DNA sequence: GTAAGTGGTTACCTTGAGTTAACTCTTCTC
DNA sequence: GAGAAGAGTTAACTCAAGGTAACCACTTAC
């Protein structure tokens, strides 16, 4: 039992890599709002999503947090911000192609949340 | 355009439900450590995972945080805590069947993290 | 007897995530 | 001229997340 095979070493190393990868994901996508915003935008991909609309429709978020989280997401190239030169200026937010790669994450979280709620009921 | 069809209403409602489900998931699984601990335990399902071992192998976590997070996870029935009546007392932590339902979440996060790191390199 | 390993706890502290509320500035409408 | 709606910003604050370090009790090995 004291001997550790190479196979075990390799397996151990890949496990550590997984944990590092998760740390990275959590750093970028973690927090109370980022994934909820991403999901919101993904659900309304055909619509014009401007600031006040998102603010109204994501329950509980404040203007300050929304502004900050949108900035963070834009920096990480997950969403785009485009200013429309309309009379009352409008800013449109949209998910990028790269941003769509986080949708599997939101999907599993939605499914788990629904399932968990069901389980609590019983 | 002013009229909103019933179909649109239903779709809108289900989107809101998704966001609520995500909020629930993030409340329970959010933070810096919980999902990493779950992944760690899932990767070592055949082994005896005692406190000090987990503490050593999850990089960066403190004893205080580990104790707290393990308690939280146990309360939510995601892991079990069993005391082994050995000479130096040992406590074994293991993922539950229900705990395994969060593995799809960790898996998508691992994949996204690996993919993101690759993308940063280029 | 002392060091090291088991499983934590406790106290103290810092940081930053997040909230609330007020305010800017512009343009349109009443 | 007042109010509302667009897109935020700013200041002041709270509070929980998280880190650091010391400590406890027990047992075995040296």
């Amino acid at each position: 039992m004291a001997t550790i095979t190479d196979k075990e070493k390799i397996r151990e190393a890949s496990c550590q890599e997984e944990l590092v990868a998760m740390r990275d994901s959590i750093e970028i996508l973690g927090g109370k709002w980022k994934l909820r915003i991403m999901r919101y935008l993904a659900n309304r991909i055909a619509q014009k999503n401007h600031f006040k609309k998102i603010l109204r429709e994501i329950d509980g978020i404040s203007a300050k947090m929304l502004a900050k989280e949108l900035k963070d997401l834009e920096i990480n190239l997950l969403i785009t911000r485009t200013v429309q030169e309309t009379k009352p200026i409008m800013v449109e937010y949209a998910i990028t192609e790269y941003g769509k790669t986080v949708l599997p994450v939101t999907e599993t979280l939605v499914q788990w949340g629904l399932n968990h709620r069901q389980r609590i009921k019983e």
Side-chain angles (χ1 to χ4, degrees), chain A:
Chain A
M1 284 305 292
T3 57
I4 295 163
T5 68
D6 283 357
K7 260 192 185 171
E8 277 164 349
K9 274 185 198 166
I10 289 165
R11 168 154 169 70
E12 186 57 35
S14 93
C15 284
Q16 286 295 336
E17 260 179 60
E18 285 187 0
L19 294 188
V20 170
M22 283 199 51
R23 189 203 58 199
D24 293 348
S25 302
I26 290 169
E27 251 170 36
I28 295 171
L29 305 174
K32 196 168 171 181
W33 298 111
K34 291 209 181 66
L35 287 172
R36 287 169 74 181
I37 294 170
M38 290 300 287
R39 184 74 180 194
Y40 176 89
L41 292 177
N43 276 340
R44 286 162 186 77
I45 215 153
Q47 303 173 38
K48 308 267 175 221
N49 298 296
H50 49 265
F51 189 86
K52 286 280 179 183
K53 180 168 172 263
I54 305 175
L55 187 58
R56 276 190 306 263
E57 296 186 4
I58 295 189
D59 199 44
I61 197 168
S62 67
K64 180 193 156 190
M65 279 309 295
L66 182 55
K68 189 208 153 218
E69 300 292 70
L70 288 171
K71 258 179 214 158
D72 289 350
L73 293 173
E74 196 196 353
I75 287 171
N76 281 309
L77 306 178
L78 299 171
I79 65 172
T80 56
R81 175 183 188 275
T82 48
V83 179
Q84 309 287 355
E85 294 297 349
T86 49
K87 306 96 182 214
I89 203 164
M90 279 227 195
V91 179
E92 199 181 318
Y93 293 94
I95 199 166
T96 61
E97 280 309 308
Y98 184 53
K100 289 180 189 169
T101 63
V102 316
L103 297 186
V105 176
T106 66
E107 183 59 26
T108 54
L109 278 172
V110 166
Q111 290 312 315
W112 194 84
L114 292 173
N115 178 52
H116 185 71
R117 171 156 296 210
Q118 193 62 32
R119 192 165 187 278
I120 296 290
K121 269 193 204 161
E122 297 159 7

